[in-house]
Amino acid sequence: MYEDSPYPTDIREYLYKILVIGDLGTGKTSIIKRYVHNIFSQNYKSTIGVDFALKVIQWSPDTVVRMQLWDIAGQEKFSGLTRVYYKEAVAALVVYDVTRPKTFEAVPKWKADLDSKVSLPGGEPIPVVLLANKTDLKDETSTSLDPEEMEQFCEDNGFVKWFGTSAKDNRNIDDAARFLLEEIMNREAEHASQQAANEAATADRIQLNQPRAAEGCC
């Protein structure tokens, strides 16, 4: 009796662990709250250790994506735990505060920490997007947001893209998350395709190497 139902019966579901990291006070929690719950507050407390949030997305009629966002504390005393927190992550957002240059100077440190502790199944680095946050405070901005300079910085440091964001104004947060999700899914598809090709090549080699049946058996 469900033959005429407009809803697909074969739903594909994906769960992706995504890290949100950066120095203390850069707005990581605010970005997550805005993205997941569409709320903003000036009074969030600093994250202690790690916090979690889940964003469920109907990516297509037959595809549901669950983004598990890990809000990692920026305090130095928690840096020794990042290897545990990073485990099984498939992507990350690195956040800095455009009004505090020292948080931008710390960005390469966060990226290097990621690259040393987590990677994709094929061994390549996970995709990472850089968020230049608090752009609503542009009158107080002391860190340059020159697009060409930022693009060069991303290329030099292995970021797939950067976005100027504001949790307060809800600026570019959805766009950044969608871009990162597309990167995850594209790389996953490429890995699956490569794996299938390798398996096919292995099967061909096995078939070619199998001994032929003896001819003229008595």
Side-chain angles (χ1 to χ4, degrees), residues 148-200:
E148 291 187 5
E149 291 180 4
M150 290 298 293
E151 287 170 12
Q152 187 62 53
F153 177 84
C154 288
E155 183 177 341
D156 292 343
N157 291 275
F159 291 93
V160 294
K161 197 174 178 66
W162 75 279
F163 291 84
T165 58
S166 167
K168 181 178 181 180
D169 295 344
N170 196 17
R171 183 181 304 157
N172 283 338
I173 292 173
D174 285 352
D175 290 344
R178 184 171 184 84
F179 177 86
L180 187 58
L181 187 52
E182 288 174 348
E183 280 288 311
I184 294 168
M185 299 185 79
N186 288 341
R187 294 187 187 208
E188 198 170 68
E190 289 173 5
H191 177 71
S193 177
Q194 184 61 51
Q195 192 172 34
N198 291 341
E199 289 174 357

Side-chain angles (χ1 to χ4, degrees), residues 67-93:
M67 299 175 68
Q68 190 182 63
L69 300 162
W70 285 51
D71 183 1
I72 309 295
Q75 295 98 319
E76 187 69 27
K77 64 182 179 179
F78 294 111
S79 60
L81 296 173
T82 55
R83 185 177 296 278
V84 177
Y85 297 153
Y86 292 174
K87 187 177 181 182
E88 298 180 351
V90 297
L93 298 167

Side-chain angles (χ1 to χ4, degrees), residues 40-111:
F40 175 78
S41 172
Q42 299 277 13
N43 302 313
Y44 292 126
K45 295 181 179 179
S46 297
T47 300
I48 304 299
V50 63
D51 201 359
F52 311 90
L54 184 69
K55 175 79 170 181
V56 180
I57 302 169
Q58 188 72 46
W59 185 257
S60 70
D62 63 347
T63 304
V64 173
V65 175
R66 288 176 168 80
M67 299 175 68
Q68 190 182 63
L69 300 162
W70 285 51
D71 183 1
I72 309 295
Q75 295 98 319
E76 187 69 27
K77 64 182 179 179
F78 294 111
S79 60
L81 296 173
T82 55
R83 185 177 296 278
V84 177
Y85 297 153
Y86 292 174
K87 187 177 181 182
E88 298 180 351
V90 297
L93 298 167
V94 174
V95 185
Y96 79 94
D97 179 346
V98 297
T99 70
R100 295 161 55 209
K102 286 187 176 180
T103 65
F104 179 70
E105 294 168 8
V107 164
K109 176 200 72 174
W110 285 104
K111 181 63 166 61

